[in-house]
Amino acid sequence: MYAFNVTFFSRQPTKEGKMMNENELFNAASIIAAAIVIAGGAIGSGLGIGNVAAKYIEGAARQPELAKDLQVRTMVIAGFLDSLPIISIGIGLLILFVNPMAPST
């Protein structure tokens, strides 16, 4: 059911000396997964927007008469790229608060 062996990880004692149970381990893994999803979306979007802006400046410098057309297309693409972190934040919050794979209590 899980991608990792829960019994292996639960044998590691915490700071207080007690063992982690399955729910605590799942919550910790969910927090890490949500952080990776949100950070990945933000980093990917930042790199994408930087690349699009660089190509726009390059294209406008080569053909200044097409700068207006290129600007409109660049802004549309930047709008699509800005939706990626918003969607990744939504998925990250879904993983944290409404996780359908959470073990039943």
Side-chain angles (χ1 to χ4, degrees):
M1 183 166 153
Y2 297 106
F4 51 86
N5 188 354
V6 175
T7 57
F8 174 74
F9 287 108
S10 64
R11 302 233 183 263
Q12 307 299 325
T14 60
K15 290 181 195 175
E16 296 85 26
K18 65 175 187 167
M19 300 293 185
M20 289 180 70
N21 64 18
E22 187 175 341
N23 288 335
E24 290 173 344
L25 179 64
F26 187 82
N27 289 339
S30 293
I31 291 170
I32 292 170
I36 290 171
V37 166
I38 292 171
I43 291 170
S45 178
L47 292 174
I49 289 176
N51 197 7
V52 167
K55 295 298 178 179
Y56 164 70
I57 292 171
E58 182 182 325
R62 287 182 183 212
Q63 294 183 337
E65 65 275 2
L66 292 178
K68 188 91 171 152
D69 261 353
L70 290 174
Q71 183 179 13
V72 171
R73 292 180 183 175
T74 301
M75 292 304 154
V76 169
I77 292 171
F80 286 136
L81 286 173
D82 277 339
S83 68
L84 179 66
I86 295 169
I87 293 169
S88 67
I89 287 172
I91 292 172
L93 291 175
L94 180 76
I95 290 172
L96 283 178
F97 296 114
V98 197
N99 198 335
M101 296 180 62
S104 59
T105 56

